[in-house]
Amino acid sequence: MARAAMSKSSGISPVHALADAAPTPFWLADPARPAAEPALVGDERCDLLVVGGGYSGLWTALIAKERDPQRDVVLIEGQEVGWAASGRNGGFCAASLTHGLGNGLARWPDELAKLEELGARNLDAIEDAVARHGIDCDFERTGEIDVATAPHQVDELREMAEQAEQLGLTGQEFLDRDAVRAEVDSPTFLAGLWDRTGVAMVHPAKLAWGLKRACLAAGVRVYEHTPGTQLSARGPGIALRTPYGRVFARQAALATNAFPSPVKRIRPYVVPVYDYALMTEPLTERQLAAIGWKNRPGLSDSANHFHYFRITADHRILWGGYDIVYRYGGGVRAEYDQHPATFRKLAQHFFACFPQLEGLRFTHTWGGAIDTCSRFSAFFGTAHGGRAAYALGFTGLGVGATRFGAEVMLDLLAGERTERTELEMVRTRPLPFPPEPVRSLGIGVTQWSMTRADENGGRRNLWLKAMDAVGLGFDS
């Protein structure tokens, strides 16, 4: 996307729009945020222990009770439900289980039609659950437009539309320059591909809080501020130690995502990367008229270093992405949640995209960790003799795909052969990331190469071609 260091009309740097921004996630600052449940003190026993209170854990607990209302389920969360990626993301709830059609075609061409079908059914099930449980989370199935901001991306989007048609996928519409700008007006937009039905917009924190309420209503015992410190096999079941007690369970579902897994052997398969976002103040009627956006789809551009952006229920614009920040050693720390260098870039890029919104201010800046893996989409497995299951590596598309991952974990724990467990995607793992310092060096070279590709008409250098050949990627 084109850069702009300052507004030509006023000479005021876009960075000044950040002056009053609160360094906190917009979604989590909502007054609807519920009080935390008490921490676990003493010993608990249950049929199923769920470790992690993000979408992955919440869906697992809720679906477990729906499958068997008599199953005794405990969920523990180290902080508060929804406080991590589930309350910090852009609020794009996508049907895709494969991190987009292109990644799916490259990795699982023979089962892509089935994966697309399962993804569509999964999104339908999320919409149904939101309605059935009365979850007020601004759910809008408005779709998403991938926009081209460079000439080579126009051809890529047209080719993707043709591939979708060949696969029999409906709801994918190629938009030329005039058509895409009629939807959302930016001088940087050259074309678009609108997935009209495969993506919903949602208030992500309210979705997490609503799932927590649904879990409690179903009889799940939820303990917050309760990190798991040690997981081990115990007799025919599992034991988990916490700061003030223990949980003994027949089975466990591990929904730790970007945080270190209790199963150490799978840690090399996931690295935490930091993604950042800005939120604007509400747009005026004049500002809304200047950009259009009446049909309210989400948008993202088609570069390697891409931006994602959407309009909220109260007419703010969330603008995020571009930088993918990895810290040496892969730590997840509160001080990483703010990254001024990235916020400056994002502000500059925002006003390059929407120069007609000059004078708009940002109200919130934040970041959070994403669990990325080398194939860009989740992988699954079991540990401790099949008594524990895990789903990890959603790589930024977990708002929707975590529900599918919950179904897979429960299938694996039940020992069932299902259409999900028979998938090659479920039966195989990505390549692990190498240890430090090779990991940081490789990620750095990959980041540099992706930037060069964006600057050179999408042409991938030898490094990226080699990574493509072995199936090792890096994304957010």
Side-chain angles (χ1 to χ4, degrees), residues 110-161:
D110 295 337
E111 63 183 27
L112 184 59
K114 171 57 70 174
L115 288 166
E116 290 291 313
E117 176 195 343
L118 289 170
R121 282 160 47 188
N122 184 65
L123 183 57
D124 288 343
I126 293 172
E127 185 171 16
D128 175 72
V130 166
R132 185 159 33 91
H133 295 290
I135 300 175
D136 179 13
C137 61
D138 303 333
F139 191 96
E140 298 180 276
R141 201 152 174 177
T142 52
E144 179 182 8
I145 302 176
D146 289 332
V147 296
T149 56
H152 72 274
Q153 296 167 7
V154 177
D155 295 333
E156 291 172 356
L157 291 182
R158 188 177 282 111
E159 180 182 355
M160 194 63 65

Side-chain angles (χ1 to χ4, degrees), residues 251-274:
Q251 296 176 319
L254 308 177
T256 52
N257 296 77
F259 296 89
S261 172
V263 180
K264 292 183 179 179
R265 62 182 167 82
I266 64 174
R267 291 182 184 179
Y269 292 90
V270 172
V271 297
V273 298
Y274 272 77

Side-chain angles (χ1 to χ4, degrees), residues 133-274:
H133 295 290
I135 300 175
D136 179 13
C137 61
D138 303 333
F139 191 96
E140 298 180 276
R141 201 152 174 177
T142 52
E144 179 182 8
I145 302 176
D146 289 332
V147 296
T149 56
H152 72 274
Q153 296 167 7
V154 177
D155 295 333
E156 291 172 356
L157 291 182
R158 188 177 282 111
E159 180 182 355
M160 194 63 65
E162 292 170 356
Q163 289 174 332
E165 184 177 0
Q166 291 168 6
L167 287 167
L169 303 179
T170 59
Q172 304 272 343
E173 180 182 354
F174 178 80
L175 306 174
D176 63 18
R177 178 182 178 277
D178 290 342
V180 71
R181 290 191 62 176
E183 289 298 329
V184 183
D185 191 13
S186 167
T188 67
F189 293 175
L190 305 178
L193 180 61
W194 194 349
D195 180 353
R196 288 184 174 271
T197 60
V199 183
M201 298 295 104
V202 67
H203 186 304
K206 286 184 176 181
L207 175 59
W209 301 333
L211 290 173
K212 171 185 168 181
R213 286 191 295 271
C215 284
L216 291 169
V220 177
R221 300 197 299 287
V222 177
Y223 296 98
E224 296 178 80
H225 299 293
T226 304
T229 59
Q230 184 179 358
L231 181 73
S232 59
R234 184 180 177 93
I238 290 287
L240 182 78
R241 187 171 295 279
T242 73
Y244 304 121
R246 296 173 298 177
V247 183
F248 301 99
R250 288 197 308 108
Q251 296 176 319
L254 308 177
T256 52
N257 296 77
F259 296 89
S261 172
V263 180
K264 292 183 179 179
R265 62 182 167 82
I266 64 174
R267 291 182 184 179
Y269 292 90
V270 172
V271 297
V273 298
Y274 272 77

Side-chain angles (χ1 to χ4, degrees), residues 99 370-378 393-398 475-476:
H99 209 272
I370 290 171
D371 60 326
T372 194
C373 72
S374 63
R375 72 183 192 187
F376 311 151
S377 52
F394 292 94
T395 317
L397 260 69
D475 200 359
S476 68

